[in-house]
């Protein structure tokens, strides 16, 4: 199968699986935003997905995303203007400025300081950024994300944002061979959102739950994900180091 046909058919399959999982939780497939995580894949893959109607793309490095954007813009009949770019990987604060220019969504805000830096960068860039607070529910010291106890202070700081808007929560659970292992983390993220809402966080800041990757997204959708981030399921295996 050609690359465009391959990507299109994988996207169709993934969308059908999202729709089934959404229906199981009383929602519709359209209620779940699919972010195609294109990290390590080239712009031929992005174009193929874009031509199949995919609009949201995820990258985990600011520089890699910028290079792809520039390459897409140089092509005739560019798809780039249709694309919304999501940063799904961690963000170093010295890259906040660039990130605000490159991305529409940042999924990895994990401190009040990073939030403020990103908001200032969005003001300077004249952009309107959507932000998700990444939560480290497993307490894994090696992972990025705010511990659950530190999350309310980030939402407090979010009230003062001018150009960036916090719209929800994100989790990247530890790896489990059996996707059932990740399900409790998805449920915990939803419950954390419920608690924050009950204690007065504006509902507009808690509209989104970004959770679920290629091997566990159905469990995530059943637990209430409004955004899933899928790479392998759409583009195939990533080669490490490329
Ligand atoms: C790479 C990545 C994904 C996509 O992973 P797949 O297993 O290929 O679907 C999703 N979220 C984050 C944060 C990632 O880094």
């Amino acid at each position: 199968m050609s690359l465009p046909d391959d990507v299109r058919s994988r996207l169709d399959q993934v969308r059908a699986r999202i729709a089934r999982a959404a229906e199981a939780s009383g929602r519709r497939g359209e209620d779940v935003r699919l972010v195609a995580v294109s990290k390590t894949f080239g712009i031929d893959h992005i174009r193929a997905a874009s031509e199949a109607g995919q609009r949201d793309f995820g990258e985990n490095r600011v520089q890699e995303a910028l290079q792809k954007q520039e390459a897409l813009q140089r092509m005739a009949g560019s798809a780039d203007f249709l694309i919304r770019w999501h940063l799904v990987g961690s963000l170093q604060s010295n890259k906040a400025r660039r990130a605000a220019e490159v991305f529409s969504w940042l999924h990895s805000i994990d401190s009040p300081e990073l939030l403020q830096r990103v908001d200032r960068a969005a003001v300077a860039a004249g952009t309107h950024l959507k932000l998700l607070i990444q939560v480290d529910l497993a307490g894994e010291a090696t992972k990025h994300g705010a511990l659950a106890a530190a999350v309310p202070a980030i939402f407090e700081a979010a009230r003062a944002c001018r150009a960036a808007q916090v719209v929800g929560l994100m989790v990247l659970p530890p790896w489990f061979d059996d996707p059932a292992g990740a399900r409790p983390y998805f449920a915990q993220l939803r419950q954390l959102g419920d608690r924050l809402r009950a204690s007065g966080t504006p509902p507009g800041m808690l509209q989104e739950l970004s959770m679920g990757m290629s091997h566990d997204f159905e469990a995530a959708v059943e637990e209430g994900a409004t955004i899933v981030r899928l790479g392998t399921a759409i583009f195939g295996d990533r080669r490490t180091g490329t």
Side-chain angles (χ1 to χ4, degrees), residues 29 37 40 42 44 57 70 76 81 86 98 124 134 162 191 237:
V37 179
T40 79
D44 45 345
F57 288 84
E70 288 172 351
F81 69 96
H86 296 242
R98 247 304 136 72
Q134 182 174 355
R162 292 162 297 162
Q191 288 155 7
D237 281 339

Side-chain angles (χ1 to χ4, degrees), residues 86-106:
H86 296 242
L87 179 69
V88 299
S90 63
L91 175 62
Q92 290 168 274
S93 59
N94 62 357
K95 300 216 173 105
R97 183 72 185 258
R98 247 304 136 72
E101 292 164 2
V102 172
F103 295 98
S104 317
W105 292 67
L106 307 179

Side-chain angles (χ1 to χ4, degrees), residues 101-118:
E101 292 164 2
V102 172
F103 295 98
S104 317
W105 292 67
L106 307 179
H107 290 230
S108 50
I109 302 301
D110 60 4
S111 71
E113 295 73 29
L114 183 60
L115 174 74
Q116 285 153 0
R117 220 177 228 263
V118 158

Side-chain angles (χ1 to χ4, degrees), residues 163-181:
Q165 183 193 5
V166 172
V167 293
L169 300 168
M170 180 272 212
V171 71
L172 178 59
W175 174 266
F176 295 92
D177 288 332
D178 179 354

Side-chain angles (χ1 to χ4, degrees), residues 73 85 132 216:
Q73 280 158 6
W85 294 94
L132 299 165
D216 58 15

